[in-house]
Amino acid sequence: MAIARASLAGVTLTFTTHPNPSLTPQGKLAEAMEHVRRNGYPFVRFEPWVAYEQRAAFYGRFQAALLTFPESIETDLSMRTRLYDYLWGALPVITSAAPGTDELLTRYGAGEIVHSASAKDFAAALVRVLRDDGDRTREGARHFVDEHQWSRALQPLVDFIRKPHVDPQKETFAVTLQMPERSRSLFDRLKRRIGGSS
């Protein structure tokens, strides 16, 4: 953020604290608070967690969302639900690279993906979104919101309920288990010898 302020002097950063700090340790947040206190950064704020019903108004105060995380197995196997939350709030997102996250932001043009852990790279992406590319990325975030309204998301289900049908292609996705033929038991062989059913 300090690097970005060289190009955008008024930019600020807001962290939200966790609603249940006793259940989920917030070590990184504590480190950030200490770093800000030690360096006297007036452009970094810490605010309480915002309830869902107040979230839209809260997001309306900001120009973009910043989502950073290190590469890990969790990153590869999970989808950051905060990304959906930020896009729901029509905020462009500057984020670390991750499967799923990258595809979603690229599809909608709703932010910037940073393929490194470099503070300079994050600052450059932030400046691009806030100064040069803000209209395009905000439009991408709004497009995401439009496409994910319940009326649109549920339309395939509504269509199916109104006119149920069997997909002729469904068998191409089915898996047929090939079971090896089981050898007959001694009892089966005896039944066959004395004229029982096979």
Side-chain angles (χ1 to χ4, degrees):
M1 195 56 59
I3 296 169
R5 284 174 64 84
S7 300
L8 292 171
V11 71
T12 62
L13 176 65
T14 299
F15 287 92
T16 53
T17 58
H18 197 277
N20 299 305
S22 59
L23 300 178
T24 307
Q26 297 295 293
K28 292 294 182 187
L29 179 64
E31 287 177 30
M33 292 174 102
E34 175 58 23
H35 182 74
V36 167
R37 186 196 63 74
R38 198 170 51 247
N39 291 282
Y41 291 144
F43 53 87
V44 180
R45 303 182 186 110
F46 298 90
E47 297 194 16
W49 184 260
V50 176
Y52 178 76
E53 53 274 9
Q54 300 165 343
R55 195 87 48 88
F58 179 70
Y59 285 159
R61 294 170 38 201
F62 303 100
Q63 295 297 309
L66 189 59
L67 183 56
T68 65
F69 43 82
E71 287 186 29
S72 69
I73 189 74
E74 179 194 3
T75 297
D76 289 342
L77 298 177
S78 67
M79 185 66 185
R80 306 276 165 173
T81 53
R82 279 168 290 175
L83 175 70
Y84 286 97
D85 202 37
Y86 296 147
L87 291 176
W88 167 82
L91 289 173
V93 181
I94 299 97
T95 180
S96 305
T101 301
D102 297 3
E103 288 86 346
L104 198 61
L105 285 184
T106 300
R107 176 179 173 191
Y108 289 95
E112 287 267 345
I113 302 156
V114 180
H115 294 275
S116 78
S118 162
K120 287 183 181 178
D121 291 345
F122 272 99
L126 183 62
V127 168
R128 277 194 301 275
V129 167
L130 294 180
R131 185 176 65 190
D132 307 326
D133 215 12
D135 290 342
R136 182 187 65 80
T137 53
R138 274 188 289 281
E139 184 57 38
R142 282 191 290 270
H143 182 53
F144 173 88
V145 172
D146 290 343
E147 282 207 355
H148 288 81
Q149 295 300 310
W150 278 116
S151 58
R152 295 189 70 162
L154 290 177
Q155 193 59 51
L157 179 60
V158 170
D159 293 344
F160 179 79
I161 289 170
R162 286 184 178 150
K163 191 176 178 184
H165 63 278
V166 175
D167 185 344
Q169 300 296 317
K170 80 178 186 86
E171 294 303 325
T172 60
F173 298 100
V175 175
T176 305
L177 295 177
Q178 300 295 327
M179 300 297 289
E181 189 174 329
R182 200 177 66 175
S183 61
R184 293 177 180 272
S185 69
L186 176 62
F187 178 71
D188 289 334
R189 292 196 304 267
L190 284 174
K191 275 199 318 185
R192 189 175 178 130
R193 285 254 173 124
I194 59 173
S197 60
S198 55

